[in-house]
Amino acid sequence: MKRAIGIFLLLTMGCGGAVAAKKNSESGGAPYATYDLGLSVGNSGSRNYSELDVGLNYFFKNWFAWRNAVFARFINPENIYGLDTSGRFFHYFPSATIFGGPGYRFASLGDNVPFLEGGAVLHLGGFSIGGGAKTFLTNVIRKGAAADTLYFIILSGSGTL
């Protein structure tokens, strides 16, 4: 049974994803775009990997974004490249944001698979910290295959002078 568990560090540059969405939810502004950079390490079966992605989030409304992220998964014997595309729904609280939604991974090698992702971000002044999970539903494409789950951490900061 193949099982992947990874740790993903999402570093937002400028204002990424849930952090910018929180700021714009207060003003009601949309549409707008944000970007982010991610790095992860993990294990799929008995093979270790590292993964890099760059994401673009387009907010149609402050509660819904279409996210596209190009990725490169560095794994032996052959690297995998592709695109993750997803719809993310957001809900805002005074000091937190939750998000989640479905998506699809298009990969250069192996299966193209649907996924579900979700998470939460806690806002502490100009700093935000959060986490979540992305589960690749490989069993939907290939009967009997195990779903792979990637866990991620979100760190973001901003400041003014």
Side-chain angles (χ1 to χ4, degrees), residues 7-11 37-41 151-155:
I7 301 299
F8 183 79
L9 177 62
L10 177 65
L11 301 172
L37 173 67
L39 175 65
S40 66
V41 294
Y151 298 95
F152 54 90
I153 299 167
I154 299 170
L155 301 173

Side-chain angles (χ1 to χ4, degrees), residues 87-98:
R88 283 187 175 176
F89 295 90
F90 293 83
H91 185 76
Y92 307 97
F93 299 97
S95 297
T97 301
I98 57 172

Side-chain angles (χ1 to χ4, degrees), residues 56-78:
L56 178 63
N57 310 285
Y58 184 80
F59 284 82
F60 292 94
K61 298 286 185 182
N62 63 354
W63 51 267
F64 178 74
W66 177 29
R67 181 172 193 270
N68 287 290
V70 293
F71 71 89
R73 181 174 279 199
F74 305 104
I75 188 169
N76 281 326
E78 189 173 351

Side-chain angles (χ1 to χ4, degrees), residues 13-126:
M13 303 182 67
C15 286
V19 178
K22 166 68 174 152
K23 291 177 182 175
N24 275 352
S25 76
E26 294 162 355
S27 65
Y32 59 94
T34 65
Y35 57 95
D36 54 64
L37 173 67
L39 175 65
S40 66
V41 294
N43 181 285
S44 181
S46 61
R47 300 183 303 168
N48 294 327
Y49 69 85
S50 57
E51 186 171 304
L52 176 68
D53 77 44
V54 178
L56 178 63
N57 310 285
Y58 184 80
F59 284 82
F60 292 94
K61 298 286 185 182
N62 63 354
W63 51 267
F64 178 74
W66 177 29
R67 181 172 193 270
N68 287 290
V70 293
F71 71 89
R73 181 174 279 199
F74 305 104
I75 188 169
N76 281 326
E78 189 173 351
N79 296 334
I80 302 170
Y81 305 94
L83 172 75
D84 286 349
T85 185
S86 61
R88 283 187 175 176
F89 295 90
F90 293 83
H91 185 76
Y92 307 97
F93 299 97
S95 297
T97 301
I98 57 172
F99 65 91
Y104 207 85
R105 173 168 275 197
F106 297 94
S108 63
L109 184 66
D111 296 320
N112 297 324
V113 297
F115 63 83
L116 295 172
E117 64 183 339
V121 180
L122 186 60
H123 309 287
L124 309 165

Side-chain angles (χ1 to χ4, degrees), residues 123-148:
H123 309 287
L124 309 165
F127 183 73
S128 296
I129 186 168
K134 180 187 286 189
T135 299
F136 297 99
L137 304 172
T138 312
N139 54 338
V140 170
I141 302 301
R142 242 183 318 120
K143 298 298 179 208
D148 294 338

